[in-house]
Amino acid sequence: PPYVVPPHLESLVASLGDPFERIADEVLGSGEAFDLLANFTDSYGNRPSGSPYLEASIDGLVELLASAGLDNVHTEPAMVNRWDRGTEEAFVSAPSGFNGGRRHRLSMLGLGGSVGTGGARLTAPILVVASFAELDTRGAAEAQGRIVVFDYAYTGYHDARVYRAAEAATRAAALGAVAVLIRTAGPFSLSSPHTGMQSYDADAVRRIPAAAVSVEDAALLARLQARGVAGVEVELYMEAEPHAERVASRNTVAEITGTEFPDQVVLLSGHLDSWDVGFGALDDGGGVFIGVTALMMLKRLGLRPRRTIRFVAWTDEEQSGGGQEAYWNTHLNETGKISLVLESDDGVFEPSALNLHGSAEAHAILRAVGSALPPPLPPAVNDVAQYMIGYDVGQAIRNGVPGATIEQAPVRTYTGPGAAQSGGDSALAGGAMGTAGHFGGDYFFYHHSMSDTMSSLDPGQMDRCTALWASYVYAVASLDSLLPR
């Protein structure tokens, strides 16, 4: 039978109306999270793992959290990956297809973890394929000595990520290719490729350079091949260098200590590191700063719940997960005292619901909490799979801890040129991940690109995300028991 919230919990939830109103009054219309993030990203820029820029930003965040009077502000050590991009560029030439012998500069970004071109300019003919199946059909006879270009049909980020993350470079190299260029993992492009982590199979015969190219340039290369233009070559130069040894970094922690059960925790989080392009405002400065602002605001209002609210800014989410690895190596034995883990790494656009992975009892309790939220905060609670909550809190969820993140409303669809390659409207329905996704707004328009700046974000939307975040963490930390597993 469905779980029924007991009367004593209903009465506790009803008592949350006043603190929820105070939170909304304090946050909505303030623009505080946006302003704090703008100051932070303007000051520190992007924050790649293993860089001095990330470490300086950690120092700055610690100073901000301590100045707000939060409890137990400290850092915890973690070992992280380091990868350097260096200078990179690519050109395509087609003597029989471009008038005047011109070359076209490709919009490209090397993929994290990729090797470079060995200090030389690599020039080779291209082979454009639409899928791994086509690559296998073409085989070594056509791939040998070529730069393989993957111009796949975008149907959602997780499907696209298969090309970017691991298989493309390894499978092409096994057939004799000398490099791979991969259509960028996003639904739309304004000549703006997206980087991201890629890796090689441990058994790979050779490691070849791997880079993303814009939607427009992948389509250009496909058209040249389809027309049978002779002599099409790409010249690729990449100074990319992965480093074998990990380097020291830190997770950042701050708390509001609980009044009755200080050893029991509600954990909210985002990751502070970013890629080395753009400013890391959307991914994931926004997730960090709605958490920072929620804690600072609860502190100002004197709203101290029964359990401890712990904020964690993870390091090294983008490259190797060294931050979450170190944290859970130390704290996994504490998961029996964690009521809920929350992670925001999906953008901070218009919130439409809370996404929850947990028991039927936990869902019923949080639906009751949601019903007490004041407008315009959304009351809905969705039941989602574990992987949709967040990478950094995954170990806790696998240990049975309920997990939550923010569902966001889609903002626009795209049906113009390139929609077929971008999956059209279906790729954005219900969020930019596709119909099963939860990334709202235009997340993958900006994600991992030079466009990841404050201009991708809206102060009012960030206010509403902050108020929703603060309301749920305060409510769960105020319950008379941990959320049921």
Side-chain angles (χ1 to χ4, degrees), residues 46-108:
N46 56 53
R47 305 166 299 280
S49 295
S51 73
Y53 314 112
L54 173 59
E55 298 310 304
S57 76
I58 293 170
D59 292 339
L61 182 59
V62 168
E63 182 178 348
L64 173 65
L65 296 168
S67 69
L70 296 170
D71 304 326
N72 196 23
V73 177
H74 66 282
T75 62
E76 299 183 7
M79 300 302 291
V80 307
N81 272 19
R82 178 185 161 206
W83 175 79
D84 293 326
R85 178 179 303 279
T87 300
E88 58 184 14
E89 59 184 5
F91 300 87
V92 59
S93 59
S96 64
F98 290 167
N99 285 334
R102 70 179 180 87
R103 297 193 308 165
H104 169 68
R105 179 185 288 272
L106 299 174
S107 295
M108 58 82 71

Side-chain angles (χ1 to χ4, degrees), residues 319-336:
Q319 294 200 31
S320 69
Q324 64 83 27
E325 177 186 1
Y327 184 87
W328 295 117
N329 281 346
T330 301
H331 297 283
L332 197 61
N333 62 348
E334 302 168 12
T335 53

Side-chain angles (χ1 to χ4, degrees), residues 226-286:
R227 287 202 297 265
V229 175
V232 178
E233 290 186 329
V234 164
E235 177 188 299
L236 179 65
Y237 178 73
M238 294 172 59
E239 294 178 348
E241 183 182 5
H243 296 268
E245 293 187 2
R246 301 180 103 188
V247 298
S249 186
R250 298 159 289 166
N251 294 314
T252 308
V253 180
E255 295 179 340
I256 293 177
T257 306
T259 57
E260 293 183 41
F261 311 108
D263 61 335
Q264 297 180 8
V265 171
V266 175
L267 186 151
L268 75 160
S269 65
H271 70 84
L272 194 63
D273 66 300
S274 73
W275 280 106
D276 59 336
V277 293
F279 280 72
L282 171 70
D283 185 16
D284 183 31

Side-chain angles (χ1 to χ4, degrees), residues 68-324:
L70 296 170
D71 304 326
N72 196 23
V73 177
H74 66 282
T75 62
E76 299 183 7
M79 300 302 291
V80 307
N81 272 19
R82 178 185 161 206
W83 175 79
D84 293 326
R85 178 179 303 279
T87 300
E88 58 184 14
E89 59 184 5
F91 300 87
V92 59
S93 59
S96 64
F98 290 167
N99 285 334
R102 70 179 180 87
R103 297 193 308 165
H104 169 68
R105 179 185 288 272
L106 299 174
S107 295
M108 58 82 71
L109 281 175
L111 295 174
S114 175
V115 297
T117 55
R121 292 184 173 271
L122 190 164
T123 302
I126 63 169
L127 170 65
V128 182
V129 297
S131 65
F132 289 128
E134 183 180 357
L135 176 65
D136 292 340
T137 299
R138 298 291 191 109
E142 295 188 55
Q144 181 74 38
R146 292 179 179 266
I147 294 174
V148 172
V149 181
F150 288 90
D151 184 36
Y152 60 89
Y154 184 90
T155 56
Y157 178 70
H158 280 297
D159 291 340
R161 189 177 176 275
V162 174
Y163 290 90
R164 191 207 72 203
E167 293 194 44
T170 295
R171 292 177 68 161
L175 297 175
V178 295
V180 291
L181 300 178
I182 304 168
R183 177 216 183 273
T184 195
F188 176 71
S189 169
L190 291 173
S191 292
S192 51
H194 306 65
T195 191
M197 196 63 192
Q198 75 91 43
S199 59
Y200 302 97
D201 280 0
D203 298 329
V205 176
R206 292 181 301 117
R207 297 188 171 195
I208 61 175
V213 293
S214 67
V215 172
E216 297 91 336
D217 282 338
L220 166 65
L221 297 174
R223 290 196 303 271
L224 292 173
Q225 176 173 287
R227 287 202 297 265
V229 175
V232 178
E233 290 186 329
V234 164
E235 177 188 299
L236 179 65
Y237 178 73
M238 294 172 59
E239 294 178 348
E241 183 182 5
H243 296 268
E245 293 187 2
R246 301 180 103 188
V247 298
S249 186
R250 298 159 289 166
N251 294 314
T252 308
V253 180
E255 295 179 340
I256 293 177
T257 306
T259 57
E260 293 183 41
F261 311 108
D263 61 335
Q264 297 180 8
V265 171
V266 175
L267 186 151
L268 75 160
S269 65
H271 70 84
L272 194 63
D273 66 300
S274 73
W275 280 106
D276 59 336
V277 293
F279 280 72
L282 171 70
D283 185 16
D284 183 31
V288 168
F289 273 85
I290 63 168
V292 167
T293 308
L295 254 69
M296 292 171 61
M297 177 272 305
L298 291 172
K299 173 74 175 180
R300 283 199 307 270
L301 293 177
L303 293 174
R304 186 179 289 273
R306 303 167 84 180
R307 279 170 200 80
T308 293
I309 299 173
R310 178 179 299 160
F311 167 75
V312 180
W314 311 102
T315 190
D316 192 40
E317 186 273 346
E318 295 291 3
Q319 294 200 31
S320 69
Q324 64 83 27

